[in-house]
Structure formats: C-alpha cells, structure tokens
Amino acid sequence: MSRRSRDRRPSARPAAGGEARRPALGEMIMSRMGIKTASDVDFDAIDKLLAEPPAKANVQLQRLKEREASERQIVALQNSLREKPDDLVKLNALAYELRKLERTAEVVDVYRRILALDPGRVDLQHMLDAATGGRTPSRASDDYVRAEFDGFADKFDSVLTNWLEYRAPEIVVAAVRRVLGDEAANQVTIDLGCGTGLAGPLLRPLSRRLEGIDLSPKMVEKAEARGGYDALVVSEIGKYLATRRNAYTLAVACDVFCYFGELAEVFHQTHDALKPRGLFAFTVERNSGDGFLLQSNGRYAHADRFVRETAAAAGFDVADAAEVQLRVELHKPVMGGCYVLRRR
Ligand SMILES: C[S@@+](CC[C@H](N)C(=O)[O-])C[C@H]1O[C@@H](n2cnc3c(N)ncnc32)[C@H](O)[C@@H]1O
C-alpha cells in the first residue's frame, strides 16, 4: 500500500471513554461502495465528493456506483456474447450500457451488429447517424422518438428530476410569466411534446384551456395519469399543428427541439397555429458553432443566431431570450437557450 493510501485510511481507534464508536464517513462510503482494498479507492474523487454539500455528494456517489456497475455489466455482456454473438437482447443491453458511458466507437459497432441481425430497427439508424456523424437528418424520425420515449416513459420523471436536475419546464414557464406579466392567465395553451406532462402543473394556472400533444403513446399515458390537461393527443407535432389555425395564445416546447435539427417548418406551423401576438416559448441545447448540430448522444443543438434568424423568417419577434442550464449529464451542465417569441 502506498504511503498516500495509508495516511488516508479511516482511523480504527476506539472512541474516548470506551463508547460504541460511530463509523467515520470514509468507512461508510467504503462499505456502501463495496470497497475492500485501498487500491480500489480513488482518493481524489472522494475528496471532491466530501467538499460537496451532503445531498449532492450522495447523488455523485450514486453516479460513481452506477458507472462502476455499468462497467461490470459491459464485461459480463461481452463475455456472454462471445458464446452467443446473435443474442439481440444482450446486444441491446450492451449498446445501452456503452451509451451511458459515452463509449461511442464501441456503441457504433454494436448498433451495426444489431441492424445486421434486425434490419427492422429503423429507430437505431438515428443513433448510428449521430454517433458516426455520417448523415444529419432534418429531425429525428418518428420511429426513433417513439421507441426512445415509449421505452423511457416509466423512468422518465424520476431520472429527469432526481438525476439530471432537469429544469426546462420551470425555466420556460418563468420566461413566459416575465413576458406576460399581469396577463399571465386565461391562455389557450398547447404543450408541444408534452411527454409525461411535467410542465402541466406549471401551465395550468396560466391557462383556461391546456392541450398536450406527443408522439409517444406511453408518455401521453403518463401525462393522462398526472391529469390537468383538457385534451391530450398522440401525434407528431407538425402533423397536428398543420390542422390547427389561429387556435392558441401560447405554445410551449420544453426540451423538444433537441429532436429537431431544421426548425423552419415547425416554427412556421406554430406561427400559423397561434393567434396574432400569441407567444411561443421553448428551449434548445446550445451549439456554439453555426446552424444546428446532431450530437453523438442523438440530440440536436442549435446556435443562437440560427434560432433568431429562423424565428424572424417565420414571422416572430423575440420577446425574451436567456442562456440557461437545462440539466446535467454525466456530471456536466448542459447549457441551452430559452426563448419566448411573439407572433407578429
Ligand atoms: C425530453 S422529452 C420532454 C417532455 C416534456 N416536454 C418535459 O419537459 O418533460 C421530449 C418529448 O418530445 C416528444 N417528441 C419529440 N419529437 C416529437 C415530434 N416530432 N412530435 C411529437 N412529439 C415529439 C418525445 O416523444 C418526448 O416525449
């Protein structure tokens, strides 16, 4: 054992007065993480965690634990796939774990193996495009969005709010309130890509009518169970908006345009679905370059200038715009823009 490791081991001395000794924090961490030998310990990581407020440190520890569990799971899946290389369940599980750890080159290899065995998995093509940077579709396909969110619906609320510090609905509704001021009631609102309806309780007090629409039936089921919407529809946003004219005073899209690259068509459709002077509030992930970008995690990011130019061309003025932290992912803040546009 190195001197550095020995110096940092928790003290095993009995407490003064012979009372039963409470385990030191380091011991608790070691026992909860299943650490048996000093060589298992990353002291710098633990020092960083101990410098955090306790609630945050618990979350970080949990993440560390999950990361290690993923690494173990990957080795187990790889071993078992050596015996049975065509096992689609295991290949999918392997892709999922590799994606969590951002091991992009290996994920691409696994996606290709899955597609070779199961060419019907059109949803995987989007992740392959994203990971290889080969092709940038103008938006994520309906198949991809449906498969992704139907599969995620059960865990969505807990993962986003507990683990990802997701705040898009709060950010969007606060921006709308800033713009509306005293008029912040009586809106006829549509929540585009409403998902499980996390924005519903925030939009309800602003709205005399509140509709939600989403491609994923499972996400819409969750929104239905949450309640608060006057109507919920399973549909693609563009297809649905094309049937609505001058219908709404407020349209919101929280964390939805990360599934769209081009924004011109959906901005035009939203413009036409709004009444004159109606508001359109949404978030985008930030691309610090030009235009839009399909990131290796399958999400699109947009440059501020691109959003503003597309908005102006679709007939909107910018009523409010702010740079915001949307959530955290793999310990890093995900930055974005929150915009409130007004229909001219
Ligand atoms: C990250 S979730 C956000 C859900 C919700 N807005 C929230 O803030 O909790 C993105 C949602 O957008 C939906 N979505 C993405 N593209 C869509 C499209 N073209 N048409 C309809 N829904 C779409 C997905 O099904 C998913 O429920």
Side-chain angles (χ1 to χ4, degrees):
M1 185 189 303
S2 73
R3 172 154 189 78
R4 171 182 164 75
S5 308
R6 194 169 50 241
D7 289 345
R8 299 210 186 185
R9 266 198 313 176
S11 157
R13 262 180 289 137
E19 304 148 16
R21 186 178 63 85
R22 284 175 49 211
L25 183 58
E27 283 171 298
M28 286 195 275
I29 291 171
M30 288 168 75
S31 116
R32 286 210 26 205
M33 294 180 71
I35 293 169
K36 298 258 172 2
T37 65
S39 58
D40 292 336
V41 183
D42 178 345
F43 287 105
D44 291 332
I46 289 183
D47 280 348
K48 274 193 204 133
L49 290 172
L50 293 178
E52 303 270 6
K56 196 153 183 207
N58 285 340
V59 171
Q60 309 266 47
L61 275 171
Q62 188 64 29
R63 282 187 190 143
L64 205 58
K65 200 170 157 189
E66 287 191 346
R67 197 178 172 86
E68 289 182 2
S70 283
E71 273 157 10
R72 282 195 296 274
Q73 179 73 353
I74 287 169
V75 173
L77 287 163
Q78 285 168 332
N79 287 339
S80 113
L81 280 160
R82 253 173 233 121
E83 309 278 306
K84 247 182 113 188
D86 294 354
D87 186 329
L88 275 169
V89 173
K90 293 211 164 110
L91 281 168
N92 279 300
L94 180 59
Y96 176 74
E97 297 298 337
L98 289 168
R99 202 176 129 185
K100 279 206 279 192
L101 299 188
E102 292 185 312
R103 286 165 57 172
T104 309
E106 290 162 274
V107 182
V108 167
D109 181 51
V110 177
Y111 286 153
R112 290 204 165 115
R113 283 169 69 186
I114 297 173
L115 275 170
L117 292 164
D118 185 2
R121 283 289 305 276
V122 274
D123 58 295
L124 268 196
Q125 192 57 49
H126 179 75
M127 287 311 294
L128 205 51
D129 290 336
T132 57
R135 208 177 64 102
T136 303
S138 62
R139 71 172 173 85
S141 71
D142 295 359
D143 287 322
Y144 169 74
V145 170
R146 210 178 287 111
E148 179 81 359
F149 285 96
D150 275 357
F152 192 23
D154 282 338
K155 290 199 210 140
F156 184 86
D157 288 4
S158 106
V159 170
L160 265 85
T161 52
N162 297 336
W163 297 108
L164 303 185
E165 298 171 27
Y166 176 64
R167 296 198 326 109
E170 285 83 355
I171 291 168
V172 166
V173 175
V176 168
R177 282 184 176 278
R178 268 199 306 277
V179 172
L180 283 175
D182 295 340
E183 293 165 45
N186 264 335
Q187 302 300 313
V188 180
T189 305
I190 182 152
D191 184 359
L192 302 168
C194 62
T196 61
L198 281 177
L202 306 171
L203 292 169
R204 185 71 265 181
L206 301 184
S207 312
R208 87 179 128 83
R209 180 170 172 82
L210 176 59
E211 295 176 16
I213 171 208
D214 200 287
L215 247 178
S216 155
K218 291 258 159 51
M219 294 291 269
V220 170
E221 264 172 38
K222 299 277 169 194
E224 233 147 28
R226 188 189 303 280
Y229 289 85
D230 297 303
L232 283 162
V233 181
V234 176
S235 172
E236 199 284 313
I237 289 171
K239 284 203 187 95
Y240 185 70
L241 287 178
T243 67
R244 311 290 279 147
R245 285 281 178 278
N246 282 313
Y248 305 101
T249 59
L250 175 62
V252 301
C254 305
D255 203 31
V256 175
F257 292 139
C258 48
Y259 298 98
F260 286 69
E262 288 294 354
L263 295 174
E265 193 177 2
V266 72
F267 277 20
H268 273 108
Q269 287 160 332
T270 309
H271 174 275
D272 292 352
L274 282 168
K275 293 180 188 293
R277 314 231 2 113
L279 297 183
F280 177 27
F282 58 88
T283 55
V284 293
E285 288 187 19
R286 185 55 79 221
N287 169 22
S288 52
D290 295 330
F292 67 85
L293 170 79
L294 178 56
Q295 306 169 100
S296 64
N297 59 8
R299 300 164 67 92
Y300 291 88
H302 297 86
D304 177 58
R305 187 164 160 198
F306 179 80
V307 174
R308 287 173 186 269
E309 286 177 358
T310 312
F316 287 108
D317 293 319
V318 176
D320 191 89
E323 293 301 300
V324 292
Q325 180 177 322
L326 297 167
R327 61 175 197 288
V328 291
E329 197 167 293
L330 300 165
H331 307 269
K332 287 174 240 146
V334 176
M335 300 308 291
C338 174
Y339 298 82
V340 184
L341 309 181
R342 182 179 277 116
R343 181 184 160 164
R344 282 188 208 121

